[in-house]
């Protein structure tokens, strides 16, 4: 760790910034931030030589084929330095012309404020929330290693690439960095290389007052190979450090690069003011003079462009890989076809047969099991037919039931395995899952208790933002878990997760709905999914074949009644309460319909006719073991739910004490059953 108590942290030992490639990056960053009147020029200026060393001397990539499977992955974890990445992509020859740089941070531009995967060619992951890019990189490196174990054969190394990540002080201050880097060290991910921009400055000033870690010793304790500190403004020094990182094969590598934020700016170098605001016209002019940079804004000399271009060497590298892949195909045709399918993100060709098999096995099953157990049973059936399923748990495998027969545990230094013990690292796990999905070749899932989804939440949000197929298995989903008490009993979590745009949330009510939830999650290529599962056993409900199929629509009529005076709506473990209440009401002369909404997010995407037919026109009563405010969304006249924290006691006692009972549903239904029919369904 470098830094001092002053407001300015300089690197007087570094030579003047004369490298023309690095200065081109500085100039483009200054120009774009100034044009936008918004952004972060300091980090791009400080990391310029680090980027030149990596991108022009080591990074294996093809600007004309950004999705080439065996490219190296580059992650800018300190995503506020986005103009560094955009300048690199532009100068390397990606489809990112200078006009896009001029539209930095503008509406619908391909150069948003923080890098966004799917928006800008060459961007591997969306970064900005500090530390998560580092954890994404860990997931990518693990995916590379496991794919290599699975597909490489003697004489055919078709999976053989590295993952590089730039990190800053903020990334390493975030707790997720500890989770991710401890895990990476244990897994011995030797093709992971992190370059630390050690500039000693954050938004509040010199970091020495709040970040006094010995970073080198910290990472050595994780089991990492640590190089440096090196002069981060010396391209040759960073180049040599990268070569040293490549020479070892036992651990991930951290390269400590001593830098000055805003390098080259006479008035802002080494200060927090260079971090998050434009330098201003006068300071830019002074910086250009100090750098000897005479080109006009957004202009780069042809010789510099030529030195930066990766078009020819990238095309040669990818062409060589494709030649080798064809030799692999000739020797191992089935493996080659499987690799291509998985990297394309396609489900197996017999997926429809798999769906039918799973529905036949579980759609009419009469087992009374917890939905977490139903999930494991479904996994056991799916894992045999979907080899890209890669699971794990945050030290709760025996509770989440995320393992399956023949899966095997993923361990550092040992090949293979399909189930990862993430340890007690919920946030790190969730972000690593995102990295695995982004890398390609796997559909990752991970388990923990629903209440601990709060630890994972921002990574779940990022998965939704990035449209990644990641599956979260959240068990122990309500107060019914019992004795562990309110610290572990989810109350607000289902409603809260449903607020995340693009996230599908399933809370299945029995074995059939659980199986359908898994099928839906796997079929959604551009959505993450959260499965909310019970600890306690749930009775299987009788259904017709048509109703089993309707489960996939997120909401359907489980019990229809043409004379109904009330509709009972339920999710998850409360579905049994609604069914039982309907039977009691029938005995009292009050006919009722029962609607199951295992996934409100999926149901809300159905056409209006389906939603109206399911919800009906009579008064509605909802029952769910969670906060009640959510159900106003469906025009419910009454809601039986939980608007307080739970209690420590056996589950049935807690539910009874908090009013989550059949009688409570019956009384609510009686209270509204004579209300005038609704004029319109939702």
């Amino acid at each position: 760790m470098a830094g001092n108590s002053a407001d300015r942290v300089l690197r007087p030992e570094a030579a003047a910034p004369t490298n023309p490639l690095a200065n081109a990056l500085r100039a483009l960053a200054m120009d774009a931030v100034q044009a936008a009147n918004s952004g972060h020029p300091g980090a791009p200026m400080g990391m310029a030589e680090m980027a030149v060393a990596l991108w022009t001397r080591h990074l294996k990539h093809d600007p004309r084929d950004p999705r080439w499977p065996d490219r190296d992955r580059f992650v800018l974890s300190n995503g506020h330095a986005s103009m560094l990445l955009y300048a690199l992509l532009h100068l390397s020859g990606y489809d990112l012309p200078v006009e896009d740089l001029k539209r930095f941070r503008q509406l619908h531009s391909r150069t948003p404020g923080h890098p966004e995967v799917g928006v800008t060619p060459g961007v591997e992951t969306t970064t900005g929330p500090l530390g998560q890019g580092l954890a994404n990189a860990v997931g990518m490196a693990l995916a590379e290693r496991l794919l290599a174990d699975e597909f490489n054969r003697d004489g055919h190394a078709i999976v053989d690439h590295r993952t590089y990540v730039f990190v800053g002080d903020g990334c390493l201050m975030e707790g997720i960095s500890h989770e991710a880097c401890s895990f990476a060290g244990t897994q011995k991910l030797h093709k992971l290389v992190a370059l630390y921009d050690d500039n000693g400055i954050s938004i509040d000033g010199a970091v020495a007052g709040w970040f006094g870690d010995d970073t080198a010793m910290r990472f050595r304790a994780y089991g990492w190979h640590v190089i440096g500190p090196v002069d981060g403004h010396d391209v040759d020094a960073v180049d040599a450090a990268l070569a040293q990182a490549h020479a070892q094969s036992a651990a991930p590598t951290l390269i400590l690069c001593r830098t000055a934020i805003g390098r080259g700016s006479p008035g802002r170098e080494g200060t927090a003011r260079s971090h998050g605001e434009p330098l201003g016209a006068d300071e830019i002019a002074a910086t250009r003079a100090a750098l000897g940079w005479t080109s006009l804004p957004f202009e780069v000399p042809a010789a510099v462009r030529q030195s930066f271009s990766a078009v020819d060497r990238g095309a040669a590298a990818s062409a060589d890989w494709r030649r080798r892949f064809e030799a692999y195909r000739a020797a191992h045709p089935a493996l080659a076809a499987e690799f291509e399918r998985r990297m394309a993100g396609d489900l197996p060709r017999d997926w429809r047969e798999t769906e039918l098999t799973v529905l036949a096995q579980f759609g009419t099953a009469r087992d009374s099991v917890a939905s977490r157990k139903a999930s494991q049973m479904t996994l056991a059936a799916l894992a045999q037919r979907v080899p890209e399923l890669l699971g794990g748990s945050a030290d709760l495998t025996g509770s989440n039931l995320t393992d399956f027969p023949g899966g095997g545990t993923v361990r550092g230094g040992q090949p293979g395995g399909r189930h990862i013990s993430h340890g007690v690292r919920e946030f790190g796990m969730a972000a690593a899952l995102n990295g695995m999905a982004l890398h390609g070749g796997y559909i990752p899932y991970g388990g923990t208790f629903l209440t601990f989804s709060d630890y994972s939440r921002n990574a779940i949000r990022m998965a939704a933002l990035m449209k990644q197929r990641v599956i979260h298995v959240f068990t122990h989903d309500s107060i019914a878990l019992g004795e562990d008490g309110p610290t572990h009993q989810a109350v607000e979590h289902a409603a809260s997760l449903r607020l995340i745009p693009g996230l599908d949330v399933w809370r299945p009510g029995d074995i059939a709905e659980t199986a359908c939830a898994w099928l839906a999650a796997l079929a959604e290529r551009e959505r993450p999914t959260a499965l909310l599962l019970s600890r306690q056993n749930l009775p299987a409900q009788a259904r017709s074949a048509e109703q089993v199929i309707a489960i996939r629509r997120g909401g359907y009529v489980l019990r229809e009644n043409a004379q109904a005076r009330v509709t009972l709506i339920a999710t998850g473990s409360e579905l049994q309460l609604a069914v039982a209440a309907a039977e009691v009401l029938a005995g009292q002369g009050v006919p009722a319909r029962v609607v199951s909404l295992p996934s409100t997010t999926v149901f809300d995407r159905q056409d209006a006719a389906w939603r109206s037919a399911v919800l009906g026109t009579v008064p509605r009563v909802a029952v769910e073991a969670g906060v009640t405010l959510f159900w106003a969304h469906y025009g419910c006249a009454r809601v039986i739910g939980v608007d307080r924290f739970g209690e420590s006691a056996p589950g049935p006692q807690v539910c009874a004490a908090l009013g989550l009972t059949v009688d409570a549903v019956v009384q609510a239904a009686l209270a509204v059953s004579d209300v005038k029919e609704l004029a319109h369904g939702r």
Side-chain angles (χ1 to χ4, degrees):
M1 237 312 302
N4 55 50
S5 59
D7 291 332
R8 194 167 194 177
V9 178
L10 299 174
R11 304 295 184 207
E13 71 277 10
T18 58
N19 184 290
L21 279 67
N23 286 344
L25 297 174
R26 291 187 173 95
L28 289 174
M30 290 190 300
D31 294 342
V33 171
Q34 189 67 24
N37 196 30
S38 173
H40 302 77
M45 296 173 72
M47 294 189 291
E49 284 85 4
M50 295 164 55
V52 169
L54 175 60
W55 279 66
T56 67
R57 301 187 185 184
H58 295 276
L59 192 69
K60 182 176 68 173
H61 63 125
D62 183 359
R64 294 295 184 260
D65 188 3
R67 304 303 298 169
W68 164 37
D70 202 41
R71 69 193 182 278
D72 290 338
R73 271 52 169 187
F74 173 76
V75 174
L76 184 69
S77 187
N78 41 353
H80 55 273
S82 55
M83 262 313 302
L84 175 68
L85 181 51
Y86 300 148
L88 287 164
L89 294 169
H90 168 68
L91 293 172
S92 295
Y94 284 79
D95 179 21
L96 195 69
V98 71
E99 288 74 17
D100 286 315
L101 304 190
K102 292 178 179 179
R103 298 196 64 242
F104 179 52
R105 289 185 163 229
Q106 304 308 300
L107 185 64
H108 303 314
S109 80
R110 296 202 298 166
T111 49
H114 291 80
E116 295 183 33
V117 68
V119 173
T120 314
V123 170
E124 299 283 1
T125 181
T126 300
T127 56
L130 293 176
Q132 283 196 62
L134 175 55
N136 294 164
V138 170
M140 292 175 185
L142 181 58
E144 189 275 345
R145 192 192 82 194
L146 293 175
L147 281 172
D149 291 343
E150 186 174 355
F151 286 98
N152 287 354
R153 294 295 183 271
D154 288 344
H156 299 282
I158 63 160
V159 181
D160 185 13
H161 55 266
R162 300 183 185 277
T163 302
Y164 299 96
V165 55
F166 278 12
V167 301
D169 290 307
C171 295
L172 298 188
M173 284 187 243
E174 288 284 359
I176 191 174
S177 70
H178 168 69
E179 297 184 25
C181 294
S182 171
F183 176 77
T186 303
Q187 287 291 333
K188 305 182 188 304
L189 300 177
H190 72 275
K191 290 185 180 177
L192 172 64
V193 180
L195 292 90
Y196 169 31
D197 175 31
D198 179 13
N199 63 39
I201 288 289
S202 66
I203 292 174
D204 282 353
V207 303
W210 49 87
F211 185 44
D213 300 14
D214 185 328
T215 299
M217 290 298 293
R218 171 186 166 188
F219 275 75
R220 288 189 181 103
Y222 291 148
W224 285 53
H225 177 57
V226 178
I227 300 173
V230 302
D231 182 355
H233 299 305
D234 183 337
V235 173
D236 291 334
V238 178
D239 173 37
L242 286 164
Q244 185 181 344
H246 298 166
Q248 64 85 36
S249 59
T253 295
L254 176 73
I255 302 174
L256 295 97
C257 300
R258 291 279 175 84
T259 64
I261 192 171
R263 180 66 171 158
S265 169
R268 300 286 183 88
E269 180 178 328
T271 72
R273 286 196 67 194
S274 70
H275 171 81
E277 62 183 64
L279 297 184
D282 292 343
E283 185 62 22
I284 288 177
T287 303
R288 295 176 108 84
L291 299 176
W293 189 261
T294 58
S295 297
L296 295 173
F298 293 104
E299 290 189 2
V300 175
V304 173
R305 287 187 175 278
Q306 183 60 37
S307 296
F308 243 121
S309 176
V311 172
D312 290 341
R313 67 176 182 272
S318 62
D320 176 68
W321 180 84
R322 294 185 193 288
R323 176 189 57 77
R324 291 186 288 109
F325 188 80
E326 288 309 312
Y328 176 77
R329 189 195 306 278
H332 306 284
L335 280 174
E338 177 70 358
F339 179 79
E340 289 179 316
R341 176 190 72 78
R342 285 178 44 181
M343 293 305 293
D346 297 332
L347 290 171
R349 292 180 62 183
D350 63 351
W351 172 246
R352 181 56 183 159
E353 180 184 335
T354 296
E355 288 185 304
L356 294 174
T357 299
V358 170
L359 290 176
Q361 182 176 354
F362 300 112
T364 57
R366 303 304 296 159
D367 305 74
S368 177
V369 296
S371 53
R372 61 173 175 152
K373 181 61 179 178
S375 170
Q376 187 181 46
M377 294 164 65
T378 305
L379 268 173
L382 288 170
Q384 302 174 41
R385 307 176 70 108
V386 187
E388 57 265 46
L389 269 173
L390 178 61
S393 172
D395 202 46
L396 289 168
T397 300
S399 295
N400 301 146
L401 304 182
T402 48
D403 55 346
F404 52 85
T409 301
V410 174
R411 298 192 186 280
Q414 300 178 18
R418 292 177 63 189
H419 190 272
I420 304 166
S421 293
H422 289 273
V424 188
R425 303 183 181 102
E426 294 88 356
F427 193 6
M429 175 182 71
L433 297 180
N434 291 348
M436 295 173 209
L438 287 158
H439 180 279
Y442 290 107
I443 300 175
Y445 67 90
T448 188
F449 290 166
L450 178 55
T451 190
F452 300 148
S453 66
D454 288 337
Y455 285 132
S456 310
R457 186 179 180 87
N458 199 261
I460 298 170
R461 182 180 188 271
M462 293 299 289
L465 177 60
M466 295 188 289
K467 300 180 179 180
Q468 294 301 303
R469 181 164 45 187
V470 175
I471 302 170
H472 294 273
V473 179
F474 293 129
T475 67
H476 296 61
D477 70 338
S478 75
I479 60 170
L481 71 85
E483 291 87 347
D484 276 346
T487 58
H488 286 53
Q489 294 168 354
V491 173
E492 73 278 19
H493 297 78
S496 177
L497 288 170
R498 290 167 181 149
L499 295 175
I500 298 177
L503 173 68
D504 273 347
V505 180
W506 285 83
R507 188 166 183 259
D510 66 358
I511 190 169
E513 290 189 353
T514 304
C516 287
W518 265 107
L519 293 175
L522 291 177
E524 281 290 352
R525 293 184 62 136
E526 296 189 347
R527 289 177 185 271
T529 298
L531 305 178
L532 281 48
L533 307 174
S534 72
R535 179 193 185 197
Q536 74 277 22
N537 287 351
L538 307 178
Q541 303 296 333
R543 294 178 183 83
S544 66
E546 292 77 15
Q547 286 175 313
V548 171
I549 294 171
I551 294 172
R552 289 284 290 272
R553 303 191 72 166
Y556 63 101
V557 181
L558 180 64
R559 301 286 185 268
E560 187 57 280
N561 192 316
Q563 285 75 46
R565 290 161 53 188
V566 64
T567 293
L568 307 179
I569 304 174
T571 79
S573 52
E574 289 68 65
L575 183 59
Q576 61 183 314
L577 300 185
V579 171
E583 294 174 357
V584 173
L585 289 166
Q588 298 182 17
V590 180
R593 306 167 71 241
V594 177
V595 167
S596 178
L597 287 187
S599 178
T600 62
T601 52
V602 173
F603 179 72
D604 288 349
R605 296 199 299 273
Q606 304 305 307
D607 60 84
W610 179 267
R611 298 196 312 268
S612 294
V614 169
L615 294 174
T617 58
V618 296
R620 303 163 191 159
V621 172
V623 54
E624 182 177 59
V627 292
T628 59
L629 183 62
F630 170 82
W631 291 97
H633 183 57
Y634 298 106
C636 294
R638 294 286 178 91
V639 181
I640 305 301
V642 181
D643 286 318
R644 50 157 289 189
F645 295 122
E647 300 281 354
S648 176
Q653 294 181 24
V654 178
C655 291
L658 272 63
L660 207 63
T661 63
V662 172
D663 184 63
V665 179
V666 169
Q667 296 305 315
L670 291 173
V672 304
S673 60
D674 290 326
V675 175
K676 184 179 179 181
E677 290 190 353
L678 300 174
H680 303 284
R682 183 179 179 276

